[in-house]
Amino acid sequence: MTDSRIQLTEEDITGIQADAIVNAANNSLLGGGGVDGAIHRVAGPELLAQCRTLGGCPTGEARITKGYNLPAAWVIHTVGPVWRGGTQREPELLARCYRNCFSLVREHGLRSVAFPAISTGVYGYPKEEAARIAIQEARRALAENENLARVLFVCFNSDTRLAYEKALTEP
Ligand code: AR6
C-alpha cells in the first residue's frame, strides 16, 4: 500500500527544505565523504563544532544537531552498518537507524524528514534490501506518529530510485 506522505525525490539532500535531514555518518560523527561530506560542507564549521561535543555515535543509533547553514533546521546523524554479507545483524542495525531517527523526529515534534539511502554508498548495503527496510520503518513511524506529515527519500541516482519504487509496490 502506498502512503502519500512517503515521497521520493532525486536531488541533493543538502538543498531539501524539511524540518530535518538525516546524515549517513560514521561512528566518530566528525565528517567523511559521500552525503556526510556534502552535509558538513553546506552546514558549515559550526556543525562540526557541535558534533565534536557529542562523543561519537554507535552503529544503529542517532543523534540530533542544528542544521546551521542548511535549509533544514535540524540534522539527524545516524550510523548505518557496513555490509558484511548480511550475517552480522546488518538488517536489524539498519532498521534501528531508521527507528532511532523517527524517535528523534517524534521527540522534537518535527513534521517532515528527509533520508538518504543509509549504508548504500561506501558501506555497501544492497540497495533493494535497504530500500525495503527504509519503507517498512517509514510506514511504521507514520502509523504511530500522527504529527508526521512527510517522509522524503532522497535518491541520489536512478538505481536507488528504482529500489524505492519497487519497495513501495510491496505490501
Ligand atoms: N544527497 C543525497 N544522497 C547522497 C548525497 C547527497 N548529497 N551524496 C551521496 N548520496 P554514503 P554510507 C547517497 O557513502 O554508505 C561517509 O564517508 C549515495 O549515493 O554517503 O552510509 C560517512 O562518513 C548513497 O545512495 O553513506 C561514513 O564513513 C547514500 O547517499 C560512510 O560514508 C549513502 O552513501 C557512510 O557510508
PDB file of all heavy atoms in Angstrom, residues 85-124:
ATOM      1  N   GLY A  85      27.967  -8.981   4.096  1.00  0.00           N
ATOM      2  CA  GLY A  85      27.353 -10.197   3.573  1.00  0.00           C
ATOM      3  C   GLY A  85      25.998 -10.514   4.182  1.00  0.00           C
ATOM      4  O   GLY A  85      25.349 -11.469   3.770  1.00  0.00           O
ATOM      5  N   GLY A  86      25.592  -9.751   5.184  1.00  0.00           N
ATOM      6  CA  GLY A  86      24.240  -9.918   5.738  1.00  0.00           C
ATOM      7  C   GLY A  86      24.163 -10.813   6.956  1.00  0.00           C
ATOM      8  O   GLY A  86      23.077 -11.042   7.491  1.00  0.00           O
ATOM      9  N   THR A  87      25.299 -11.284   7.424  1.00  0.00           N
ATOM     10  CA  THR A  87      25.279 -12.222   8.560  1.00  0.00           C
ATOM     11  C   THR A  87      25.680 -11.551   9.874  1.00  0.00           C
ATOM     12  O   THR A  87      25.770 -12.212  10.904  1.00  0.00           O
ATOM     13  CB  THR A  87      26.254 -13.385   8.315  1.00  0.00           C
ATOM     14  OG1 THR A  87      27.564 -12.821   8.121  1.00  0.00           O
ATOM     15  CG2 THR A  87      25.862 -14.189   7.079  1.00  0.00           C
ATOM     16  N   GLN A  88      25.934 -10.253   9.819  1.00  0.00           N
ATOM     17  CA  GLN A  88      26.413  -9.545  11.017  1.00  0.00           C
ATOM     18  C   GLN A  88      25.328  -8.603  11.560  1.00  0.00           C
ATOM     19  O   GLN A  88      25.630  -7.505  11.979  1.00  0.00           O
ATOM     20  CB  GLN A  88      27.686  -8.744  10.685  1.00  0.00           C
ATOM     21  CG  GLN A  88      28.783  -9.560  10.013  1.00  0.00           C
ATOM     22  CD  GLN A  88      29.359 -10.603  10.946  1.00  0.00           C
ATOM     23  OE1 GLN A  88      29.735 -10.299  12.075  1.00  0.00           O
ATOM     24  NE2 GLN A  88      29.408 -11.846  10.492  1.00  0.00           N
ATOM     25  N   ARG A  89      24.089  -9.049  11.530  1.00  0.00           N
ATOM     26  CA  ARG A  89      22.944  -8.265  12.028  1.00  0.00           C
ATOM     27  C   ARG A  89      22.748  -6.967  11.245  1.00  0.00           C
ATOM     28  O   ARG A  89      22.175  -6.014  11.768  1.00  0.00           O
ATOM     29  CB  ARG A  89      23.104  -7.959  13.528  1.00  0.00           C
ATOM     30  CG  ARG A  89      23.089  -9.202  14.402  1.00  0.00           C
ATOM     31  CD  ARG A  89      23.552  -8.937  15.841  1.00  0.00           C
ATOM     32  NE  ARG A  89      22.872  -7.809  16.445  1.00  0.00           N
ATOM     33  CZ  ARG A  89      23.505  -6.750  16.975  1.00  0.00           C
ATOM     34  NH1 ARG A  89      24.825  -6.675  16.942  1.00  0.00           N
ATOM     35  NH2 ARG A  89      22.830  -5.776  17.512  1.00  0.00           N
ATOM     36  N   GLU A  90      23.193  -6.939   9.992  1.00  0.00           N
ATOM     37  CA  GLU A  90      23.045  -5.702   9.228  1.00  0.00           C
ATOM     38  C   GLU A  90      21.594  -5.244   9.086  1.00  0.00           C
ATOM     39  O   GLU A  90      21.316  -4.055   9.285  1.00  0.00           O
ATOM     40  CB  GLU A  90      23.686  -5.832   7.834  1.00  0.00           C
ATOM     41  CG  GLU A  90      25.198  -5.971   7.834  1.00  0.00           C
ATOM     42  CD  GLU A  90      25.625  -7.424   7.755  1.00  0.00           C
ATOM     43  OE1 GLU A  90      24.901  -8.286   8.289  1.00  0.00           O
ATOM     44  OE2 GLU A  90      26.685  -7.709   7.169  1.00  0.00           O
ATOM     45  N   PRO A  91      20.637  -6.170   8.759  1.00  0.00           N
ATOM     46  CA  PRO A  91      19.254  -5.695   8.603  1.00  0.00           C
ATOM     47  C   PRO A  91      18.694  -5.101   9.899  1.00  0.00           C
ATOM     48  O   PRO A  91      18.027  -4.061   9.877  1.00  0.00           O
ATOM     49  CB  PRO A  91      18.477  -6.959   8.193  1.00  0.00           C
ATOM     50  CG  PRO A  91      19.515  -7.855   7.581  1.00  0.00           C
ATOM     51  CD  PRO A  91      20.768  -7.585   8.365  1.00  0.00           C
ATOM     52  N   GLU A  92      18.975  -5.747  11.018  1.00  0.00           N
ATOM     53  CA  GLU A  92      18.496  -5.239  12.310  1.00  0.00           C
ATOM     54  C   GLU A  92      19.118  -3.874  12.630  1.00  0.00           C
ATOM     55  O   GLU A  92      18.439  -2.945  13.078  1.00  0.00           O
ATOM     56  CB  GLU A  92      18.890  -6.266  13.386  1.00  0.00           C
ATOM     57  CG  GLU A  92      18.520  -5.880  14.782  1.00  0.00           C
ATOM     58  CD  GLU A  92      19.284  -6.719  15.813  1.00  0.00           C
ATOM     59  OE1 GLU A  92      19.632  -7.879  15.520  1.00  0.00           O
ATOM     60  OE2 GLU A  92      19.539  -6.178  16.909  1.00  0.00           O
ATOM     61  N   LEU A  93      20.403  -3.739  12.351  1.00  0.00           N
ATOM     62  CA  LEU A  93      21.081  -2.465  12.648  1.00  0.00           C
ATOM     63  C   LEU A  93      20.565  -1.345  11.742  1.00  0.00           C
ATOM     64  O   LEU A  93      20.380  -0.209  12.195  1.00  0.00           O
ATOM     65  CB  LEU A  93      22.594  -2.622  12.499  1.00  0.00           C
ATOM     66  CG  LEU A  93      23.248  -3.436  13.609  1.00  0.00           C
ATOM     67  CD1 LEU A  93      24.663  -3.848  13.219  1.00  0.00           C
ATOM     68  CD2 LEU A  93      23.274  -2.631  14.923  1.00  0.00           C
ATOM     69  N   LEU A  94      20.306  -1.671  10.476  1.00  0.00           N
ATOM     70  CA  LEU A  94      19.793  -0.634   9.576  1.00  0.00           C
ATOM     71  C   LEU A  94      18.379  -0.223  10.009  1.00  0.00           C
ATOM     72  O   LEU A  94      18.056   0.975  10.039  1.00  0.00           O
ATOM     73  CB  LEU A  94      19.804  -1.117   8.121  1.00  0.00           C
ATOM     74  CG  LEU A  94      19.419  -0.053   7.099  1.00  0.00           C
ATOM     75  CD1 LEU A  94      20.383   1.135   7.129  1.00  0.00           C
ATOM     76  CD2 LEU A  94      19.356  -0.638   5.692  1.00  0.00           C
ATOM     77  N   ALA A  95      17.553  -1.191  10.378  1.00  0.00           N
ATOM     78  CA  ALA A  95      16.199  -0.866  10.858  1.00  0.00           C
ATOM     79  C   ALA A  95      16.275   0.002  12.118  1.00  0.00           C
ATOM     80  O   ALA A  95      15.498   0.949  12.290  1.00  0.00           O
ATOM     81  CB  ALA A  95      15.416  -2.153  11.143  1.00  0.00           C
ATOM     82  N   ARG A  96      17.234  -0.293  12.986  1.00  0.00           N
ATOM     83  CA  ARG A  96      17.392   0.520  14.213  1.00  0.00           C
ATOM     84  C   ARG A  96      17.768   1.958  13.877  1.00  0.00           C
ATOM     85  O   ARG A  96      17.356   2.892  14.557  1.00  0.00           O
ATOM     86  CB  ARG A  96      18.422  -0.112  15.140  1.00  0.00           C
ATOM     87  CG  ARG A  96      17.857  -1.337  15.844  1.00  0.00           C
ATOM     88  CD  ARG A  96      18.839  -1.926  16.826  1.00  0.00           C
ATOM     89  NE  ARG A  96      19.305  -0.915  17.774  1.00  0.00           N
ATOM     90  CZ  ARG A  96      20.357  -1.066  18.559  1.00  0.00           C
ATOM     91  NH1 ARG A  96      21.071  -2.176  18.520  1.00  0.00           N
ATOM     92  NH2 ARG A  96      20.709  -0.109  19.394  1.00  0.00           N
ATOM     93  N   CYS A  97      18.572   2.157  12.843  1.00  0.00           N
ATOM     94  CA  CYS A  97      18.904   3.535  12.415  1.00  0.00           C
ATOM     95  C   CYS A  97      17.615   4.302  12.126  1.00  0.00           C
ATOM     96  O   CYS A  97      17.421   5.421  12.614  1.00  0.00           O
ATOM     97  CB  CYS A  97      19.715   3.521  11.120  1.00  0.00           C
ATOM     98  SG  CYS A  97      21.410   3.026  11.291  1.00  0.00           S
ATOM     99  N   TYR A  98      16.775   3.692  11.288  1.00  0.00           N
ATOM    100  CA  TYR A  98      15.536   4.393  10.907  1.00  0.00           C
ATOM    101  C   TYR A  98      14.656   4.614  12.134  1.00  0.00           C
ATOM    102  O   TYR A  98      14.120   5.703  12.334  1.00  0.00           O
ATOM    103  CB  TYR A  98      14.803   3.620   9.799  1.00  0.00           C
ATOM    104  CG  TYR A  98      15.480   3.809   8.450  1.00  0.00           C
ATOM    105  CD1 TYR A  98      16.371   2.879   7.952  1.00  0.00           C
ATOM    106  CD2 TYR A  98      15.257   4.960   7.695  1.00  0.00           C
ATOM    107  CE1 TYR A  98      17.022   3.068   6.732  1.00  0.00           C
ATOM    108  CE2 TYR A  98      15.890   5.163   6.475  1.00  0.00           C
ATOM    109  CZ  TYR A  98      16.771   4.216   6.004  1.00  0.00           C
ATOM    110  OH  TYR A  98      17.416   4.420   4.802  1.00  0.00           O
ATOM    111  N   ARG A  99      14.515   3.588  12.978  1.00  0.00           N
ATOM    112  CA  ARG A  99      13.653   3.750  14.164  1.00  0.00           C
ATOM    113  C   ARG A  99      14.165   4.842  15.085  1.00  0.00           C
ATOM    114  O   ARG A  99      13.384   5.632  15.620  1.00  0.00           O
ATOM    115  CB  ARG A  99      13.592   2.439  14.945  1.00  0.00           C
ATOM    116  CG  ARG A  99      12.630   1.494  14.309  1.00  0.00           C
ATOM    117  CD  ARG A  99      12.495   0.245  15.127  1.00  0.00           C
ATOM    118  NE  ARG A  99      12.172  -0.818  14.180  1.00  0.00           N
ATOM    119  CZ  ARG A  99      12.074  -2.082  14.467  1.00  0.00           C
ATOM    120  NH1 ARG A  99      12.254  -2.480  15.711  1.00  0.00           N
ATOM    121  NH2 ARG A  99      11.778  -2.960  13.553  1.00  0.00           N
ATOM    122  N   ASN A 100      15.473   4.869  15.300  1.00  0.00           N
ATOM    123  CA  ASN A 100      16.026   5.887  16.191  1.00  0.00           C
ATOM    124  C   ASN A 100      15.903   7.283  15.591  1.00  0.00           C
ATOM    125  O   ASN A 100      15.671   8.250  16.316  1.00  0.00           O
ATOM    126  CB  ASN A 100      17.470   5.538  16.553  1.00  0.00           C
ATOM    127  CG  ASN A 100      17.533   4.410  17.575  1.00  0.00           C
ATOM    128  OD1 ASN A 100      16.746   4.391  18.525  1.00  0.00           O
ATOM    129  ND2 ASN A 100      18.436   3.468  17.389  1.00  0.00           N
ATOM    130  N   CYS A 101      16.026   7.393  14.285  1.00  0.00           N
ATOM    131  CA  CYS A 101      15.787   8.698  13.637  1.00  0.00           C
ATOM    132  C   CYS A 101      14.327   9.116  13.841  1.00  0.00           C
ATOM    133  O   CYS A 101      14.047  10.270  14.197  1.00  0.00           O
ATOM    134  CB  CYS A 101      16.097   8.631  12.144  1.00  0.00           C
ATOM    135  SG  CYS A 101      17.846   8.530  11.754  1.00  0.00           S
ATOM    136  N   PHE A 102      13.409   8.192  13.618  1.00  0.00           N
ATOM    137  CA  PHE A 102      11.990   8.539  13.780  1.00  0.00           C
ATOM    138  C   PHE A 102      11.651   8.851  15.242  1.00  0.00           C
ATOM    139  O   PHE A 102      10.754   9.659  15.503  1.00  0.00           O
ATOM    140  CB  PHE A 102      11.097   7.429  13.228  1.00  0.00           C
ATOM    141  CG  PHE A 102      10.998   7.426  11.729  1.00  0.00           C
ATOM    142  CD1 PHE A 102      11.414   6.330  10.985  1.00  0.00           C
ATOM    143  CD2 PHE A 102      10.486   8.533  11.048  1.00  0.00           C
ATOM    144  CE1 PHE A 102      11.314   6.333   9.594  1.00  0.00           C
ATOM    145  CE2 PHE A 102      10.385   8.549   9.653  1.00  0.00           C
ATOM    146  CZ  PHE A 102      10.806   7.445   8.928  1.00  0.00           C
ATOM    147  N   SER A 103      12.356   8.246  16.187  1.00  0.00           N
ATOM    148  CA  SER A 103      12.132   8.598  17.602  1.00  0.00           C
ATOM    149  C   SER A 103      12.519  10.054  17.851  1.00  0.00           C
ATOM    150  O   SER A 103      11.807  10.783  18.544  1.00  0.00           O
ATOM    151  CB  SER A 103      12.968   7.715  18.529  1.00  0.00           C
ATOM    152  OG  SER A 103      12.531   6.402  18.433  1.00  0.00           O
ATOM    153  N   LEU A 104      13.649  10.471  17.280  1.00  0.00           N
ATOM    154  CA  LEU A 104      14.071  11.869  17.450  1.00  0.00           C
ATOM    155  C   LEU A 104      13.092  12.817  16.765  1.00  0.00           C
ATOM    156  O   LEU A 104      12.788  13.898  17.280  1.00  0.00           O
ATOM    157  CB  LEU A 104      15.492  12.075  16.914  1.00  0.00           C
ATOM    158  CG  LEU A 104      16.590  11.457  17.781  1.00  0.00           C
ATOM    159  CD1 LEU A 104      17.927  11.454  17.038  1.00  0.00           C
ATOM    160  CD2 LEU A 104      16.734  12.225  19.103  1.00  0.00           C
ATOM    161  N   VAL A 105      12.593  12.414  15.611  1.00  0.00           N
ATOM    162  CA  VAL A 105      11.591  13.221  14.893  1.00  0.00           C
ATOM    163  C   VAL A 105      10.378  13.441  15.802  1.00  0.00           C
ATOM    164  O   VAL A 105       9.875  14.555  15.950  1.00  0.00           O
ATOM    165  CB  VAL A 105      11.186  12.513  13.573  1.00  0.00           C
ATOM    166  CG1 VAL A 105       9.897  13.075  13.006  1.00  0.00           C
ATOM    167  CG2 VAL A 105      12.319  12.620  12.550  1.00  0.00           C
ATOM    168  N   ARG A 106       9.945  12.385  16.436  1.00  0.00           N
ATOM    169  CA  ARG A 106       8.775  12.489  17.312  1.00  0.00           C
ATOM    170  C   ARG A 106       9.073  13.335  18.558  1.00  0.00           C
ATOM    171  O   ARG A 106       8.321  14.243  18.896  1.00  0.00           O
ATOM    172  CB  ARG A 106       8.339  11.086  17.743  1.00  0.00           C
ATOM    173  CG  ARG A 106       7.126  11.115  18.651  1.00  0.00           C
ATOM    174  CD  ARG A 106       7.009   9.831  19.427  1.00  0.00           C
ATOM    175  NE  ARG A 106       6.387   8.773  18.669  1.00  0.00           N
ATOM    176  CZ  ARG A 106       5.067   8.551  18.662  1.00  0.00           C
ATOM    177  NH1 ARG A 106       4.265   9.294  19.378  1.00  0.00           N
ATOM    178  NH2 ARG A 106       4.580   7.561  17.964  1.00  0.00           N
ATOM    179  N   GLU A 107      10.218  13.058  19.199  1.00  0.00           N
ATOM    180  CA  GLU A 107      10.574  13.797  20.426  1.00  0.00           C
ATOM    181  C   GLU A 107      10.678  15.301  20.178  1.00  0.00           C
ATOM    182  O   GLU A 107      10.384  16.097  21.063  1.00  0.00           O
ATOM    183  CB  GLU A 107      11.942  13.328  20.948  1.00  0.00           C
ATOM    184  CG  GLU A 107      11.899  12.036  21.716  1.00  0.00           C
ATOM    185  CD  GLU A 107      13.303  11.453  21.884  1.00  0.00           C
ATOM    186  OE1 GLU A 107      14.281  12.222  21.978  1.00  0.00           O
ATOM    187  OE2 GLU A 107      13.407  10.204  21.902  1.00  0.00           O
ATOM    188  N   HIS A 108      11.121  15.670  18.988  1.00  0.00           N
ATOM    189  CA  HIS A 108      11.298  17.085  18.686  1.00  0.00           C
ATOM    190  C   HIS A 108      10.096  17.699  17.973  1.00  0.00           C
ATOM    191  O   HIS A 108      10.146  18.859  17.569  1.00  0.00           O
ATOM    192  CB  HIS A 108      12.584  17.288  17.868  1.00  0.00           C
ATOM    193  CG  HIS A 108      13.823  17.070  18.692  1.00  0.00           C
ATOM    194  ND1 HIS A 108      14.554  18.107  19.252  1.00  0.00           N
ATOM    195  CD2 HIS A 108      14.408  15.934  19.120  1.00  0.00           C
ATOM    196  CE1 HIS A 108      15.546  17.596  19.962  1.00  0.00           C
ATOM    197  NE2 HIS A 108      15.485  16.285  19.894  1.00  0.00           N
ATOM    198  N   GLY A 109       9.042  16.922  17.830  1.00  0.00           N
ATOM    199  CA  GLY A 109       7.801  17.430  17.230  1.00  0.00           C
ATOM    200  C   GLY A 109       7.963  17.839  15.774  1.00  0.00           C
ATOM    201  O   GLY A 109       7.272  18.741  15.296  1.00  0.00           O
ATOM    202  N   LEU A 110       8.869  17.150  15.052  1.00  0.00           N
ATOM    203  CA  LEU A 110       9.121  17.527  13.658  1.00  0.00           C
ATOM    204  C   LEU A 110       8.045  16.925  12.760  1.00  0.00           C
ATOM    205  O   LEU A 110       7.540  15.833  13.014  1.00  0.00           O
ATOM    206  CB  LEU A 110      10.511  17.052  13.216  1.00  0.00           C
ATOM    207  CG  LEU A 110      11.659  17.447  14.157  1.00  0.00           C
ATOM    208  CD1 LEU A 110      12.991  16.991  13.580  1.00  0.00           C
ATOM    209  CD2 LEU A 110      11.668  18.942  14.422  1.00  0.00           C
ATOM    210  N   ARG A 111       7.711  17.672  11.709  1.00  0.00           N
ATOM    211  CA  ARG A 111       6.637  17.222  10.814  1.00  0.00           C
ATOM    212  C   ARG A 111       7.150  16.653   9.496  1.00  0.00           C
ATOM    213  O   ARG A 111       6.424  15.993   8.780  1.00  0.00           O
ATOM    214  CB  ARG A 111       5.664  18.383  10.542  1.00  0.00           C
ATOM    215  CG  ARG A 111       4.880  18.756  11.801  1.00  0.00           C
ATOM    216  CD  ARG A 111       3.889  19.874  11.562  1.00  0.00           C
ATOM    217  NE  ARG A 111       3.010  19.640  10.435  1.00  0.00           N
ATOM    218  CZ  ARG A 111       1.945  18.825  10.464  1.00  0.00           C
ATOM    219  NH1 ARG A 111       1.640  18.183  11.567  1.00  0.00           N
ATOM    220  NH2 ARG A 111       1.197  18.684   9.385  1.00  0.00           N
ATOM    221  N   SER A 112       8.408  16.957   9.154  1.00  0.00           N
ATOM    222  CA  SER A 112       8.942  16.425   7.888  1.00  0.00           C
ATOM    223  C   SER A 112      10.409  16.051   8.062  1.00  0.00           C
ATOM    224  O   SER A 112      11.160  16.726   8.778  1.00  0.00           O
ATOM    225  CB  SER A 112       8.785  17.463   6.774  1.00  0.00           C
ATOM    226  OG  SER A 112       9.432  18.659   7.118  1.00  0.00           O
ATOM    227  N   VAL A 113      10.781  14.961   7.385  1.00  0.00           N
ATOM    228  CA  VAL A 113      12.161  14.474   7.490  1.00  0.00           C
ATOM    229  C   VAL A 113      12.573  13.876   6.152  1.00  0.00           C
ATOM    230  O   VAL A 113      11.770  13.233   5.481  1.00  0.00           O
ATOM    231  CB  VAL A 113      12.298  13.450   8.651  1.00  0.00           C
ATOM    232  CG1 VAL A 113      11.368  12.254   8.488  1.00  0.00           C
ATOM    233  CG2 VAL A 113      13.740  12.989   8.820  1.00  0.00           C
ATOM    234  N   ALA A 114      13.827  14.128   5.777  1.00  0.00           N
ATOM    235  CA  ALA A 114      14.361  13.603   4.508  1.00  0.00           C
ATOM    236  C   ALA A 114      15.541  12.680   4.804  1.00  0.00           C
ATOM    237  O   ALA A 114      16.450  13.047   5.557  1.00  0.00           O
ATOM    238  CB  ALA A 114      14.814  14.758   3.611  1.00  0.00           C
ATOM    239  N   PHE A 115      15.515  11.504   4.213  1.00  0.00           N
ATOM    240  CA  PHE A 115      16.558  10.494   4.423  1.00  0.00           C
ATOM    241  C   PHE A 115      17.361  10.256   3.147  1.00  0.00           C
ATOM    242  O   PHE A 115      16.764  10.094   2.068  1.00  0.00           O
ATOM    243  CB  PHE A 115      15.937   9.137   4.754  1.00  0.00           C
ATOM    244  CG  PHE A 115      15.358   9.007   6.117  1.00  0.00           C
ATOM    245  CD1 PHE A 115      14.023   9.334   6.342  1.00  0.00           C
ATOM    246  CD2 PHE A 115      16.108   8.518   7.178  1.00  0.00           C
ATOM    247  CE1 PHE A 115      13.457   9.187   7.603  1.00  0.00           C
ATOM    248  CE2 PHE A 115      15.550   8.370   8.440  1.00  0.00           C
ATOM    249  CZ  PHE A 115      14.221   8.707   8.657  1.00  0.00           C
ATOM    250  N   PRO A 116      18.674  10.080   3.255  1.00  0.00           N
ATOM    251  CA  PRO A 116      19.431   9.494   2.149  1.00  0.00           C
ATOM    252  C   PRO A 116      19.300   7.971   2.272  1.00  0.00           C
ATOM    253  O   PRO A 116      18.741   7.480   3.260  1.00  0.00           O
ATOM    254  CB  PRO A 116      20.868   9.934   2.448  1.00  0.00           C
ATOM    255  CG  PRO A 116      20.930   9.943   3.942  1.00  0.00           C
ATOM    256  CD  PRO A 116      19.543  10.336   4.427  1.00  0.00           C
ATOM    257  N   ALA A 117      19.823   7.243   1.302  1.00  0.00           N
ATOM    258  CA  ALA A 117      19.780   5.770   1.351  1.00  0.00           C
ATOM    259  C   ALA A 117      20.950   5.304   2.224  1.00  0.00           C
ATOM    260  O   ALA A 117      22.032   4.961   1.732  1.00  0.00           O
ATOM    261  CB  ALA A 117      19.862   5.206  -0.054  1.00  0.00           C
ATOM    262  N   ILE A 118      20.685   5.293   3.533  1.00  0.00           N
ATOM    263  CA  ILE A 118      21.715   4.999   4.541  1.00  0.00           C
ATOM    264  C   ILE A 118      22.410   3.664   4.244  1.00  0.00           C
ATOM    265  O   ILE A 118      21.740   2.678   3.929  1.00  0.00           O
ATOM    266  CB  ILE A 118      21.059   4.948   5.952  1.00  0.00           C
ATOM    267  CG1 ILE A 118      20.419   6.286   6.297  1.00  0.00           C
ATOM    268  CG2 ILE A 118      22.079   4.540   7.018  1.00  0.00           C
ATOM    269  CD1 ILE A 118      19.409   6.198   7.447  1.00  0.00           C
ATOM    270  N   SER A 119      23.719   3.672   4.362  1.00  0.00           N
ATOM    271  CA  SER A 119      24.585   2.480   4.200  1.00  0.00           C
ATOM    272  C   SER A 119      24.778   1.990   2.769  1.00  0.00           C
ATOM    273  O   SER A 119      25.561   1.065   2.546  1.00  0.00           O
ATOM    274  CB  SER A 119      24.094   1.281   5.036  1.00  0.00           C
ATOM    275  OG  SER A 119      24.474   1.410   6.381  1.00  0.00           O
ATOM    276  N   THR A 120      24.060   2.581   1.792  1.00  0.00           N
ATOM    277  CA  THR A 120      24.126   2.006   0.433  1.00  0.00           C
ATOM    278  C   THR A 120      25.239   2.574  -0.442  1.00  0.00           C
ATOM    279  O   THR A 120      25.349   2.213  -1.607  1.00  0.00           O
ATOM    280  CB  THR A 120      22.789   2.172  -0.315  1.00  0.00           C
ATOM    281  OG1 THR A 120      22.580   3.567  -0.582  1.00  0.00           O
ATOM    282  CG2 THR A 120      21.628   1.612   0.474  1.00  0.00           C
ATOM    283  N   GLY A 121      26.044   3.477   0.108  1.00  0.00           N
ATOM    284  CA  GLY A 121      27.173   4.033  -0.642  1.00  0.00           C
ATOM    285  C   GLY A 121      28.446   3.308  -0.251  1.00  0.00           C
ATOM    286  O   GLY A 121      28.595   2.102  -0.499  1.00  0.00           O
ATOM    287  N   VAL A 122      29.335   4.016   0.412  1.00  0.00           N
ATOM    288  CA  VAL A 122      30.615   3.459   0.858  1.00  0.00           C
ATOM    289  C   VAL A 122      30.408   2.189   1.688  1.00  0.00           C
ATOM    290  O   VAL A 122      31.217   1.255   1.603  1.00  0.00           O
ATOM    291  CB  VAL A 122      31.358   4.510   1.721  1.00  0.00           C
ATOM    292  CG1 VAL A 122      32.640   3.934   2.296  1.00  0.00           C
ATOM    293  CG2 VAL A 122      31.675   5.743   0.906  1.00  0.00           C
ATOM    294  N   TYR A 123      29.335   2.114   2.465  1.00  0.00           N
ATOM    295  CA  TYR A 123      29.122   0.972   3.366  1.00  0.00           C
ATOM    296  C   TYR A 123      28.559  -0.265   2.661  1.00  0.00           C
ATOM    297  O   TYR A 123      28.450  -1.323   3.275  1.00  0.00           O
ATOM    298  CB  TYR A 123      28.252   1.375   4.562  1.00  0.00           C
ATOM    299  CG  TYR A 123      28.993   2.156   5.631  1.00  0.00           C
ATOM    300  CD1 TYR A 123      30.348   2.467   5.506  1.00  0.00           C
ATOM    301  CD2 TYR A 123      28.347   2.583   6.795  1.00  0.00           C
ATOM    302  CE1 TYR A 123      31.028   3.182   6.485  1.00  0.00           C
ATOM    303  CE2 TYR A 123      29.020   3.292   7.780  1.00  0.00           C
ATOM    304  CZ  TYR A 123      30.362   3.594   7.620  1.00  0.00           C
ATOM    305  OH  TYR A 123      31.020   4.299   8.605  1.00  0.00           O
ATOM    306  N   GLY A 124      28.204  -0.124   1.359  1.00  0.00           N
ATOM    307  CA  GLY A 124      27.967  -1.297   0.514  1.00  0.00           C
ATOM    308  C   GLY A 124      26.694  -2.106   0.714  1.00  0.00           C
ATOM    309  O   GLY A 124      26.593  -3.237   0.214  1.00  0.00           O
TER     310      GLY A 124
END
